[in-house]
Structures are given as structure tokens and as C-alpha cells.
Amino acid sequence: SQQGEEDPQALSIQEGENATMNCSYKTSINNLQWYRQNSGRGLVHLILIRSNEREKHSGRLRVTLDTSKKSSSLLITASRAADTASYFCATGPDTGRRALTFGSGTRLQVQP
Amino acid sequence: EPEVTQTPSHQVTQMGQEVILRCVPISNHLYFYWYRQILGQKVEFLVSFYNNEISEKSEIFDDQFSVERPDGSNFTLKIRSTKLEDSAMYFCASSDRTSMPSGNTIYFGEGSWLTVV
């Protein structure tokens, strides 16, 4: 698989449920960022987790990072219909470069 | 909250024509980027720009592409002779300079849809 692959590709849940999206990557990273994209719109930054961090919280979002497994997860608790969007992970390399490598994204549908 | 703004939001152009996409990064940011997203595909890095020069570029960013910071606020992407396969959403982004070695948040604009016909 390529750098920054999300799984599942699509997820449909009911409002109020939790949504968990996973991201795997292959190379060493210095940070991992999660973004949200509504259909045809821009990328909204959600959260950044650094390679020396294991977990971060922001509101209803919880992100974990396991560098030994080269994986991250994004948990959205108590989901709302407005959370319907595509969610992407993007990795920042540890080479001093700044270019992010994006995954294919998870399309989340929250049913009201 | 400060944001990256892009113009135009949508442009249709004839194959072979030149296109300039414009961006106003967040005002105190020092790193600027262009990414693109072909419909249904991943977001791909094109180029990063710092201190008035290109700092990184991808294989996609060939001689048909150029970037410029013509003044203190704008950052442009020029495609010299557009091809059908250049049709995509082009995102401008910016980030602050940080002393932290572990990267910093990159903020994206709403994108410019380019359709080449």
C-alpha cells in the first residue's frame, strides 16, 4: 500500500455513534495531520500529532499515533450529521522537508 | 480566524492556454505551498516556497509550472500551456515558521477548480 492509506474507505454510521478511521504509513515521519474535506471544498485542518506523541484530543476528536506500527487513528465521538465529510491523514517526513503526503481518505456518512 | 484565500474559485480554460491561480496566504506565515487533487484522487504535493525561492518540488511540478510571490501578500501558480490532465482542484497552503523540529500545521485554502477543455 502507499504512504498514508486510510481504512475504511467508506463508513456509514448513525448520529450519536462514534466513528473510527485508521491511517497506515510506510516511511518514518515527524508528524501526522488529519484533515477534513466537505465535498468539493477545501481541506480543513483538524489536528496535528508529533512523532513523539501518542495521543491528542481536540473537542470530540481523539487521535492516536503508534510509530512502531506506523499507524494512526482518528476517533470522532458522538457524531453529528454535520460531520459527514471525507477525512484524510497526511504525513510529514522526518527528513526536514515539509511536503505532506496524503492518504486516499475515508468518506464518512453520518445518518441523522 | 485567519485563512488562506484563493482566486478564482473555478476557471475553465482552453487546452494550451496559460492559467494563473492566485492565493493570499495567512499574513504571518513564511512557507507557502501548492497541492492539487484530481477528481476522485489523492491530494498531491506540487511545490513549496520559502524565502522567495522554491524549497521543494514534486515530479508533477515540471517546466510547465512556475510559482511567484509578486508582492508581500500574493502567491501565484502559473501553468504555461494547460493540458487536459491539468484539470484538478488546486490548493494553496501556508504554514508558520517554527523552531520546533517536528513540523507545524499547514493551512489550506478552499481551492481553485481548473477545468481544461
Side-chain angles (χ1 to χ4, degrees):
Chain A
S1 63
Q2 297 180 32
Q3 184 80 347
E5 289 297 318
E6 286 90 340
D7 127 73
Q9 291 186 331
L11 180 62
S12 182
I13 59 173
Q14 296 292 319
E15 227 173 6
E17 293 180 339
N18 295 342
T20 300
M21 289 160 270
N22 302 297
C23 168
S24 61
Y25 57 91
K26 297 195 118 180
T27 61
S28 295
I29 64 169
N30 124 343
N31 68 83
L32 187 146
Q33 307 188 36
W34 283 91
Y35 289 86
R36 165 200 166 117
Q37 183 182 37
N38 285 23
S39 181
R41 303 293 301 276
L43 295 159
V44 175
H45 185 265
L46 296 177
I47 199 162
L48 178 153
I49 187 164
R50 304 189 192 286
S51 59
N52 61 351
E53 297 175 313
R54 291 297 165 257
E55 187 171 313
K56 280 187 89 167
H57 296 255
S58 175
R60 293 184 296 115
L61 305 180
R62 173 178 169 250
V63 167
T64 62
L65 179 64
D66 186 335
T67 52
S68 66
K69 294 181 180 177
K70 292 187 166 57
S71 68
S72 174
S73 68
L74 170 67
L75 168 67
I76 304 175
T77 60
S79 63
R80 306 166 182 166
D83 294 329
T84 295
S86 290
Y87 291 82
F88 296 89
C89 69
T91 53
D94 67 352
T95 57
R97 297 172 62 235
R98 288 177 174 255
L100 295 177
T101 301
F102 279 80
S104 306
T106 294
R107 292 187 307 280
L108 174 66
Q109 176 78 40
V110 182
Q111 307 284 353
Chain B
E1 185 176 321
E3 57 182 20
V4 176
T5 58
Q6 292 185 240
T7 55
S9 56
H10 191 191
Q11 182 162 352
V12 180
T13 189
Q14 295 275 341
M15 192 168 55
Q17 294 295 304
E18 176 183 283
V19 160
I20 296 176
L21 304 178
R22 292 182 167 80
C23 170
V24 178
I26 295 172
S27 63
N28 62 342
H29 284 185
L30 298 176
Y31 289 87
F32 314 118
Y33 313 84
W34 284 100
Y35 286 75
R36 79 171 186 191
Q37 185 180 33
I38 294 171
L39 188 64
Q41 297 187 24
K42 292 184 180 185
V43 176
E44 301 173 292
F45 169 74
L46 294 179
V47 65
S48 64
F49 192 87
Y50 171 71
N51 200 26
N52 286 319
E53 61 182 22
I54 290 173
S55 50
E56 300 172 53
K57 61 181 181 179
S58 71
E59 292 174 353
I60 302 168
F61 194 86
D62 62 21
D63 292 343
Q64 291 297 313
F65 292 89
S66 62
V67 289
E68 193 178 32
R69 187 153 165 83
D71 53 43
S73 60
N74 291 284
F75 179 52
T76 61
L77 174 69
K78 182 191 292 185
I79 309 174
R80 267 182 264 284
S81 177
T82 50
K83 303 186 283 280
L84 295 177
E85 54 265 37
D86 294 328
S87 295
M89 175 80 100
Y90 288 81
F91 291 107
C92 176
S94 68
S95 64
D96 196 0
R97 181 175 177 176
T98 179
S99 59
M100 293 188 71
S102 49
N104 54 342
T105 299
I106 298 179
Y107 295 92
F108 285 77
E110 283 288 316
S112 294
W113 271 111
L114 176 65
T115 303
V116 182
V117 296

